[in-house]
Amino acid sequence: KAGVTQTPRYLIKTRGQQVTLSCSPISGHRSVSWYQQTPGQGLQFLFEYFSETQRNKGNFPGRFSGRQFSNSRSEMNVSTLELGDSALYLCASSLFSRGGTGELFFGEGSRLTVL
Amino acid sequence: AQSVTQLDSHVSVSEGTPVLLRCNYSSSYSPSLFWYVQHPNKGLQLLLKYTSAATLVKGINGFEAEFKKSETSFHLTKPSAHMSDAAEYFCVVSVLNDNTGKLIFGQGTTLQVKP
């Protein structure tokens, strides 16, 4: 069974640009969550989608957005990039919404560098 | 409010000696607790989970954790460290009775294993 796939794995952008990251969950999983990981702030929850609906949202500005498609694949978008957006963005899929059993399956992440 | 505190940011042990990674939590509701491991440049992987069944939980790779409600702790242990255990470990709390249902991650503990 294929795991969670995130693309691209690495990318470099400049301030003011926008970026779109993609996540394909494990087959059959309908929940996709996104996390930002930085050395200073650790892992922070961005949002969760379940059956194409946003179920939860973390404390991030509106520049961070996401969506989920009917095949459960998800994308997140960051507009007007700032230096502080440099981070590893992790996607996790699960069978249940709202953390459920807490058993998340993570992808290897997309490492974004903003110059 | 729910929170989780990992008491050590860095732990160093010699190969073959016991591992102890400490985690305290705070929760207004009955929590579910988890330990995840992240190897360099990889996503997170679930090690074990506590969901109000047995207080001593066994996980993968010889790890186990004990839920102690009186001490609000969920420490992770392993009798004998292996070089492959070197990674970052996250203690996580999920509050299923909370409408947000978000997982709250600790700041992480880096485990170093010396030959």
Side-chain angles (χ1 to χ4, degrees), chain A residues 41-62:
Chain A
Q41 299 298 318
L43 271 157
Q44 294 187 285
F45 173 76
L46 280 157
F47 29 63
E48 181 207 359
Y49 287 87
F50 183 84
S51 294
E52 303 179 64
T53 301
Q54 187 179 89
R55 290 294 184 93
N56 275 305
K57 192 177 191 307
N59 296 324
F60 279 81

Side-chain angles (χ1 to χ4, degrees), chain A residues 35-94:
Chain A
Y35 291 82
Q36 182 196 66
Q37 186 177 28
T38 61
Q41 299 298 318
L43 271 157
Q44 294 187 285
F45 173 76
L46 280 157
F47 29 63
E48 181 207 359
Y49 287 87
F50 183 84
S51 294
E52 303 179 64
T53 301
Q54 187 179 89
R55 290 294 184 93
N56 275 305
K57 192 177 191 307
N59 296 324
F60 279 81
R63 299 185 297 107
F64 292 81
S65 63
R67 59 177 174 169
Q68 187 179 33
F69 301 95
S70 58
N71 61 358
S72 293
R73 189 177 72 84
S74 177
E75 290 181 346
M76 68 162 282
N77 183 276
V78 188
S79 63
T80 319
L81 284 166
E82 301 177 359
L83 295 179
D85 297 332
S86 294
L88 180 67
Y89 289 88
L90 291 165
C91 164
S93 77
S94 66

Side-chain angles (χ1 to χ4, degrees), chain A residues 37 56 98 100-102 104 107, chain B residues 34 36 38 42-43 96 100-102:
Chain A
Q37 186 177 28
N56 275 305
R98 299 189 177 189
T101 61
L104 300 179
Chain B
F34 313 84
Y36 279 82
Q38 184 180 31
K42 296 292 185 183
L96 300 181
T100 66
K102 297 195 294 273

Side-chain angles (χ1 to χ4, degrees), chain A residues 11-17 81-87 112-115:
Chain A
L11 66 166
I12 300 174
K13 295 285 187 178
T14 56
R15 280 180 297 174
Q17 287 187 311
L81 284 166
E82 301 177 359
L83 295 179
D85 297 332
S86 294
L112 170 66
T113 302
V114 182
L115 302 176

